[in-house]
Amino acid sequence: MLVVFVLLGVSLASVGLAQSGRNKGKPKVSTTKTGSGRASPEPDRSGTPSSSHSQSTQARPTADSPKDKSEEVDESDTIHVSSNLVPIPASVIDPKGTAVVGLRLEDFELRVDGQLKQISDMTRSETSVRLAMLFDNSGSLDMAREFEKQAARHFFRQVMRPLDEAAIYSVETESYLAQPLTSDIQLLERTIDGFGKPEGSTSLFDAIIDAAAYLRPYTSRRVMVIVSDGVETTSRNDFETTIQRVLANDCQIFIVQTGLYNGANLRALAAERRMEQLSGQTGGAVYIPKSTAELNDAFQQIAADLAHQYVLSYYPGDERRDGRFHNIDLRVKARKDVRVRARKGYYSPKASNIAANEW
């Protein structure tokens, strides 16, 4: 019995020493290279990584977490895009009102504050469009309501291409984004159909400013189509602020001024002048249908205008980063018989605000 107990004690001591020897130092984890070049733990026979690795991949990285070397980008490979670009969408119209096509970059002449400037680039209407339609749902618009909705639906079918997107704002006492940007024409049509009877007051300026800010992040052509009588009643912002924000956000505005069917004596002349100034400053146009039959024609003209535009680019120098308004005059050098419709100016961002993308 004594011999048995002695042998048992020696055996247990040997096992303890072996285990303590294996616990010294950190365990080695077998790794394999993934497609990204990063090391990942060798999966076990079941095909799943170890539990410790699973927990680390599920945790969200913090802002202070160091980047993996494979994610580092060489400075020489980085493309720096200047936010100082001034896009100038332009429509060229002959005396008959027909769009002039086939012009080249050298056919245009650009002056900024009276000084001749170089145009950096020119593209045609294949540039994508990000469009916001502002549909007046206030109580001031009631006549021919169903036809307005029908014409708006038809406009989306005419102007939308696969590369374009459109959004819809409802203009009322508290204007709001009724449909975010989408290329789904049926979804846009259903949004228009869903608008009920117009009621309440009109916060048109606020809706214009909100839509301009909404379109700002997109590098494509930014277009607003306003379907309204243009009468403003309850906005928190005034007209001058509205123009500044629209020009700062590089938006082009087309206006279908509805609700003016009973003759010139019923027109809100102040609203009409504001709409003409707003569209003229941005290179758009105002259409004032005198009957419901002309509403659809107005939408067709806007669609045709967008389809035949030239999009010019101008890069101001660093001396232009002064936060001020600069006048633009765009002409076709060899054609005195044509009319160029383009923005009349731009607000240059201050040098200290460019990084923050402020106007």
Side-chain angles (χ1 to χ4, degrees):
M1 290 293 292
L2 180 59
V3 174
V4 172
F5 280 118
V6 170
L7 291 176
L8 181 60
V10 173
S11 176
L12 291 176
S14 301
V15 173
L17 289 173
Q19 290 180 347
S20 63
R22 284 198 298 265
N23 288 335
K24 293 180 180 179
K26 294 182 179 180
K28 294 183 179 180
V29 180
S30 176
T31 60
T32 58
K33 291 289 185 178
T34 63
S36 62
R38 300 177 187 174
S40 62
E42 182 80 28
D44 59 20
R45 295 180 181 178
S46 63
T48 59
S50 64
S51 59
S52 60
H53 176 66
S54 299
Q55 292 173 358
S56 64
T57 56
Q58 291 173 1
R60 295 183 178 180
T62 62
D64 297 328
S65 299
K67 292 184 178 180
D68 188 10
K69 291 184 179 180
S70 62
E71 295 178 351
E72 293 180 359
V73 179
D74 193 326
E75 183 67 21
S76 62
D77 295 334
T78 304
I79 299 176
H80 298 279
V81 180
S82 172
S83 61
N84 208 27
L85 168 69
V86 179
I88 310 175
S91 301
V92 183
I93 312 298
D94 68 11
K96 296 181 180 180
T98 305
V100 177
V101 297
L103 296 175
R104 298 170 298 176
L105 178 64
E106 53 267 28
D107 294 326
F108 289 91
E109 178 183 273
L110 174 66
R111 292 184 181 272
V112 178
D113 296 333
Q115 298 181 359
L116 189 63
K117 298 294 181 180
Q118 181 180 359
I119 301 172
S120 304
D121 190 20
M122 183 187 79
T123 59
R124 286 301 308 274
S125 55
E126 62 269 10
T127 308
S128 62
V129 174
R130 294 297 178 269
L131 183 147
M133 175 176 283
L134 277 60
F135 202 83
D136 197 334
N137 282 309
S138 65
S140 62
L141 284 183
D142 198 8
M143 300 179 61
R145 183 60 171 174
E146 288 307 313
F147 189 84
E148 290 173 6
K149 293 168 71 172
Q150 179 182 348
R153 293 194 301 268
H154 188 55
F155 170 76
F156 288 122
R157 297 191 207 111
Q158 286 182 310
V159 74
M160 293 283 290
R161 303 167 300 174
L163 68 163
D164 300 329
E165 290 184 331
I168 300 176
Y169 276 79
S170 177
V171 181
E172 45 193 271
T173 305
E174 292 293 335
S175 300
Y176 66 96
L177 177 63
Q179 171 56 54
L181 282 170
T182 180
S183 57
D184 189 336
I185 296 177
Q186 293 182 349
L187 184 56
L188 294 166
E189 291 176 344
R190 288 197 298 270
T191 302
I192 295 292
D193 288 336
F195 290 143
K197 181 179 179 180
E199 59 183 6
S201 54
T202 312
S203 296
L204 179 60
F205 295 164
D206 289 347
I208 293 173
I209 290 174
D210 289 346
Y214 179 70
L215 296 175
R216 171 71 185 185
Y218 299 93
T219 57
S220 50
R221 284 184 288 170
R222 306 173 192 131
V223 177
M224 255 187 262
V225 176
I226 300 174
V227 184
S228 172
D229 59 3
V231 177
E232 162 61 45
T233 56
T234 54
S235 285
R236 295 179 293 273
N237 297 280
D238 59 17
F239 182 65
E240 291 302 321
T241 301
T242 302
I243 281 194
Q244 290 177 4
R245 297 291 182 87
V246 167
L247 289 173
N249 289 324
D250 300 329
C251 289
Q252 186 178 24
I253 295 183
F254 294 89
I255 299 167
V256 180
Q257 198 165 1
T258 58
L260 308 176
Y261 307 109
N262 292 336
N265 59 325
L266 295 181
R267 291 183 179 180
L269 296 180
E272 187 175 339
R273 286 193 296 268
R274 285 196 298 262
M275 295 300 100
E276 290 175 352
Q277 185 178 357
L278 188 60
S279 62
Q281 286 289 325
T282 63
V286 177
Y287 300 93
I288 306 177
K290 298 178 181 179
S291 66
T292 55
E294 295 181 2
L295 267 174
N296 197 51
D297 292 339
F299 283 114
Q300 288 179 349
Q301 291 179 41
I302 296 173
D305 201 326
L306 293 176
H308 295 98
Q309 277 186 337
Y310 301 89
V311 184
L312 309 174
S313 299
Y314 164 59
Y315 284 93
D318 290 340
E319 71 277 4
R320 292 293 183 185
R321 299 181 179 184
D322 52 15
R324 298 180 180 178
F325 181 79
H326 299 278
N327 293 294
I328 286 179
D329 182 19
L330 183 68
R331 301 179 183 180
V332 176
K333 292 183 289 187
R335 296 283 300 269
K336 303 299 182 182
D337 61 331
V338 299
R339 179 168 58 95
V340 179
R341 193 167 68 238
R343 62 191 302 179
K344 303 300 182 184
Y346 72 97
Y347 279 92
S348 174
K350 292 183 180 180
S352 60
N353 290 337
I354 290 178
N357 200 26
E358 298 178 1
W359 63 277

